[in-house]
Amino acid sequence: MEKYLYFNGHNSDEYFCHIEHKPEIPVPEAKYEEYEVPGRNGKLHADLGYYDNITVTYQLYFHGKNPTAEDARTVKKWLAGTPGAHQLSDGYDPSFFYFATAKPGSISNILNKYGRLSVDFDCDPRHFLVSGYQAAALENGQTLLNPLDQVALPYLEITGNGAEGKVVVNGVEFAAMPPADRVLYADCENWDAYVTGGTNANALVGGTWPTLRPGENTISWSGGVTGVTLTPRWWTL
């Protein structure tokens, strides 16, 4: 088992940086609305259908070819040099990743040859399957198997001839009118559609945004839709 950390498109091995030990993985906390009913004992809780972020902490050490101070600058640039959330995974569980923001702590300098630091990653609570972020061209009427236990919100690339059409997932219709000369992209998590070049195309879609339930999902299309490429985004907690 390799003690590497993968973050922001880079492997920690590139920086002679390694994980000291397997981190603890917190259980995401479900969010509830708490309320009281007069005359009733106790409190009631309504599930809001989402989870809080989690914090995963890694203890890292590095022993590069350069003095610690020089290597430390490189490590800090890797972890904190690009704002925003990036894919985070490690050698202990390489088939899954989080979207995370790094919060590096202070770096200890040991004999000017080694460095040690603790990094807190603020993670989206969803643990995504790496293979679920691979796009696949579908056949009309194809059945996809969601191997995990959560409803996935896919990303669609829809081609067509400029006429009105529809994509049907498990009997639920999603209207789409992809232009004949451009691809229509539909992000089912953000309810956002656009065409090649980035132009907003929300006016070209309608109906219920597709979701992929655990187990089998049948996907078909008709009318002006001529093809669908799908990135499923399988995830679990």
Side-chain angles (χ1 to χ4, degrees), residues 145-156:
L145 177 65
N146 180 349
L148 302 178
D149 58 349
Q150 300 291 331
V151 174
L153 305 176
Y155 181 83
L156 308 178

Side-chain angles (χ1 to χ4, degrees), residues 52-69:
D52 266 343
N53 276 17
I54 61 172
T55 299
V56 180
T57 301
Y58 286 88
Q59 304 295 330
L60 304 177
Y61 69 93
F62 57 91
H63 50 88
K65 296 180 179 179
N66 303 306
T68 300

